Amino acid sequence: MSIEQSGTTARCRVVRAEEMYEGKQRAQFFAGISAESVGAKGLCMHLVTIPPGAVGEVHLHEEHETALFVLEGESTTYFGEGLTDSATVRAGEFLFIPAGVPHRAENNDPINPARAVLARTDPNEQESVVLLAADGSRRDDAG
């Protein structure tokens, strides 16, 4: 399918969630819509799995907002300065993470994974991920 757009041909694309990779955050991602996969310019969207009992890396996305919709299971995201705030999201719920907010997701269920659709305003899969120290402060080694 093609759509004429500003003198160029834009193409709608179908992407199958087949290739899994581990992100800097220590979560499992299934490659979806991104600059890398379809040439997206303003967003990325992936399936993310947090394995049973897994604790992710503390990180932030300096200039990019993140939203997710939980498909199954639940996870708790610790966020803010010192990671003192938290939000638990369950299947059927959305979570919004503003740009520049330190956060870490974990799955406290010892048996079941948590799975979600994740969207971010950065079209690149991992470019805006800034790893932080365990308390949410900047690492001395810059990541």
Side-chain angles (χ1 to χ4, degrees), residues 64-68 77 79 87 89 94-99 101 119 121:
H64 301 285
E65 297 174 329
T66 302
L68 60 89
T77 298
F79 62 92
V89 288
F94 290 90
L95 176 66
F96 172 72
I97 303 170
V101 172
T121 57

Side-chain angles (χ1 to χ4, degrees), residues 24-25 57-59 129-133 137-143:
K24 295 177 187 176
Q25 311 91 310
E57 290 283 342
V58 180
H59 67 283
V129 176
V130 177
L131 295 177
L132 302 172
S137 64
R138 295 280 176 165
R139 289 182 172 180
D140 290 334
D141 65 2

Side-chain angles (χ1 to χ4, degrees), residues 80-99:
E81 190 172 328
L83 302 179
T84 56
D85 294 315
S86 67
T88 298
V89 288
R90 296 169 181 84
E93 296 178 333
F94 290 90
L95 176 66
F96 172 72
I97 303 170

Side-chain angles (χ1 to χ4, degrees), residues 1-23:
M1 168 186 263
S2 296
I3 300 169
E4 191 67 29
Q5 185 178 51
S6 302
T8 62
T9 302
R11 298 195 68 211
C12 295
R13 303 271 306 272
V14 173
V15 177
R16 293 189 59 80
E18 295 175 333
E19 292 185 36
M20 191 275 294
Y21 66 93
E22 183 168 302

